[in-house]
Amino acid sequence: MRRSIVAANWKLNGNLEMAKSLVTVIDAHSNGLEGVDTVICPPFPYLSYVGGLMSASNVHLGAQSIAEYESGAYTGEVSAEMVAEVGCRYAIVGHSERREYYGETDAIVAAKFSRIQAAGLIPILCVGESLDQREQGVMQDTIVRQVNAVAAEANISNMQNAVLAYEPIWAIGTGETASPEQAQEVHEIIRSEIAKQSTDIAEGLRILYGGSVKANNAVELFSQPDIDGGLIGGASLDAEQFNAIVAAGSL
Ligand code: PEP
């Protein structure tokens, strides 16, 4: 039985006041909930502060992104070691917004994935197809390419200490969720792809769904056999919504 993860991606949102009220309520709710880990990924400046508000052993801190380099003249960048030093346990990599707006290619995503693991963190690797790709019938090719760009680079054994997130681009922030069947189909594709290299690793791999998850659709999505929780954008900024999604992860 895989332990669920419900991760909050705040993106470029929030402030200290909001962080305090949100995290205090989420931490208290998650504390003691069986079978689920809660991960909160605030913007970089709030990492230490948010980490300081966490007391539950199943609530963890995550970074939204990290640099592909360890150190050096890369103005504005933040390394995996730095976020590990301030208490992060997870880091998101390959989010479609990073791929689309910041030119992160499969090769860059693979390099970042390796950096995250080298710093002792757990990557949450996002993959997902656009609406165009789905309509052109290349959804599966796209997902498999994105997964293998990292699985090949990182060595399959590193998938043991990783989390995947299937996030169809057409469902992110749009209010349009993949149906549980659509999501399950892709999660199964991902798990089968990993199973070609190791059935044990595939069986243990947590695969999250992301894309307009809300309190009213989380239970149905998370009850699919290959869906092990969610990566939550918009709804993670609302304590009541997010806590209900975390509760769905513990069922
Ligand atoms: C995300 O950006 O990872 C995401 C899933 O966003 P939303 O929940 O707002 O669709």
Side-chain angles (χ1 to χ4, degrees), residues 6-7 29 36 213-219 222 229-230 232 235-236 238-250:
V6 176
H29 171 264
V36 64
V213 178
K214 306 280 182 241
N216 64 6
N217 58 25
V219 171
F222 298 173
I232 320 300
S236 74
D238 178 316
E240 204 178 315
Q241 277 278 327
F242 187 69
N243 281 347
I245 297 169
V246 173
S250 82

Side-chain angles (χ1 to χ4, degrees), residues 33-246:
L33 264 190
E34 301 271 329
V36 64
D37 286 316
T38 302
V39 178
I40 300 177
C41 306
F44 290 131
Y46 305 142
L47 282 172
S48 281
Y49 180 69
V50 166
L53 296 168
M54 294 173 166
S55 63
S57 61
N58 60 341
V59 177
H60 306 289
L61 191 63
Q64 295 178 21
S65 178
I66 54 99
E68 67 195 281
Y69 308 106
E70 196 175 346
S71 63
Y74 302 105
T75 302
E77 290 293 296
V78 171
S79 74
E81 287 75 9
M82 289 171 185
V83 300
E85 219 179 359
V86 298
C88 281
R89 177 141 176 209
Y90 291 85
I92 298 171
V93 61
H95 193 283
S96 60
E97 289 156 12
R98 300 291 317 175
R99 292 180 193 257
E100 187 179 345
Y101 307 145
Y102 300 96
E104 293 193 7
T105 59
D106 282 341
I108 293 173
V109 171
K112 289 188 173 198
F113 182 97
S114 296
R115 285 267 166 242
I116 291 168
Q117 289 194 322
L121 300 172
I122 300 169
I124 300 176
L125 169 65
C126 303
V127 299
E129 83 287 1
S130 66
L131 189 57
D132 247 22
Q133 288 166 326
R134 179 166 275 263
E135 286 175 350
Q136 283 166 21
V138 294
M139 173 273 281
Q140 179 157 352
D141 290 350
T142 305
I143 301 296
V144 167
R145 191 204 75 228
Q146 290 174 344
V147 169
N148 282 337
V150 173
E153 159 82 12
N155 180 332
I156 193 63
S157 66
N158 290 346
M159 280 291 163
Q160 218 157 8
N161 299 314
V163 173
L164 256 82
Y166 168 56
E167 298 210 304
I169 298 169
W170 48 272
I172 295 180
T174 59
E176 190 181 338
T177 319
S179 69
E181 296 72 26
Q182 281 175 318
Q184 167 58 26
E185 181 194 5
V186 183
H187 283 231
E188 203 179 330
I189 289 170
I190 294 170
R191 204 177 298 288
S192 315
E193 197 53 34
I194 299 292
K196 286 181 187 165
Q197 297 190 65
S198 165
T199 48
D200 280 358
I201 291 173
E203 210 29 60
L205 182 68
R206 267 100 50 97
I207 309 176
L208 316 183
Y209 169 77
S212 298
V213 178
K214 306 280 182 241
N216 64 6
N217 58 25
V219 171
E220 217 190 336
L221 283 161
F222 298 173
S223 65
Q224 298 301 307
D226 287 296
I227 301 184
D228 308 306
L231 179 54
I232 320 300
S236 74
L237 301 169
D238 178 316
E240 204 178 315
Q241 277 278 327
F242 187 69
N243 281 347
I245 297 169
V246 173

